[in-house]
Amino acid sequence: MTLNLHRVPDDIVDANVQAALAEDIGDGDITAELLPADSMAEATIVTRDEGVLCGQQWVNRVFEQVDDRIMLQWNTSDGDSLRAGQTLLQLRGPARGLLTAERTALNFLQTLSGTATRCREYAQRVEGTGVRLLDTRKTLPGLRAAQKYAVRCGGCHNHRVGLFDAFLIKENHILACGGIPAAVMRARENAPGKPVEVEVESMDELVQAIDAECERVMLDNFDLDAMREAVRLNDGRAELEASGNVTLETLAAIAQTGVDFISIGALTKGCEPLDLSMRLS
């Protein structure tokens, strides 16, 4: 599997880390101050679970912002498969800094690795079908770029980043604009060059969306027979995206209908963090 990871811009990572450290440290780590200021220590971060690694940029910045004297040596890379008991990272530096940074670093690494792990599981179910699995905007507040990066680490793909980079015209937009053709036309006028996708709930709406020449049509809660009919009617004119109540059990059957994309809120929603720990030596 070839991963297209695209490094997350440093300013986004820095903002994530600054906010996380501020809420954890406040005006000082009073427990870490029990240790002598000149005490040095070594530590390792170990996984108790199998999974997929994600979050190196965030972990690096956590330790750097807490104490830039801390040295990190990674034994793994983002996107790597992990085995239980594996040592992911070795650290050395001031003991106070190691302990102050520990929880924030692990929070990022556990959460993002958990997201990547779930995405890998979903991606493996449709490997070889040609369909691409997409995330949604159902992400943790403030961590959208991080979770969308984790999605890519797991072998899935990103939908739009937010409300600004692509149109997704849904039922309420259609009603307010006076129909699908009018909504698509207004989108073209308001933001030329931005991709336009229309969510449809029936074959009649599908035909309207195709005739309006939008780039992609989202099939909202279509059953398998309806998806196959949509693929036939579309005949390659627009990209087709299946969405709604997608599970690991239904994934392969949906992929076999011939749709181009499947969007899945569960890729980023309610993911179980990997069980990681940091041990001082």
Side-chain angles (χ1 to χ4, degrees), residues 49-95:
D49 290 332
E50 295 181 352
V52 177
L53 184 75
C54 181
Q56 287 182 308
Q57 277 183 263
W58 288 264
V59 172
N60 291 344
R61 290 299 290 138
V62 167
F63 285 105
E64 184 177 343
Q65 288 191 24
V66 169
D67 192 323
D68 61 10
R69 295 172 294 172
I70 296 172
M71 306 298 293
L72 290 78
Q73 181 179 331
W74 287 94
N75 301 323
T76 51
S77 299
D78 282 350
D80 285 354
S81 296
L82 308 176
R83 65 182 185 279
Q86 185 173 355
T87 297
L88 311 180
L89 174 63
Q90 296 164 298
L91 308 103
R92 187 179 189 283

Side-chain angles (χ1 to χ4, degrees), residues 16-38:
N16 292 160
V17 169
Q18 287 167 9
L21 288 174
E23 70 181 1
D24 198 31
I25 299 173
D27 60 0
D29 180 353
I30 59 175
T31 311
E33 289 173 1
L34 298 175
L35 281 65
D38 59 353

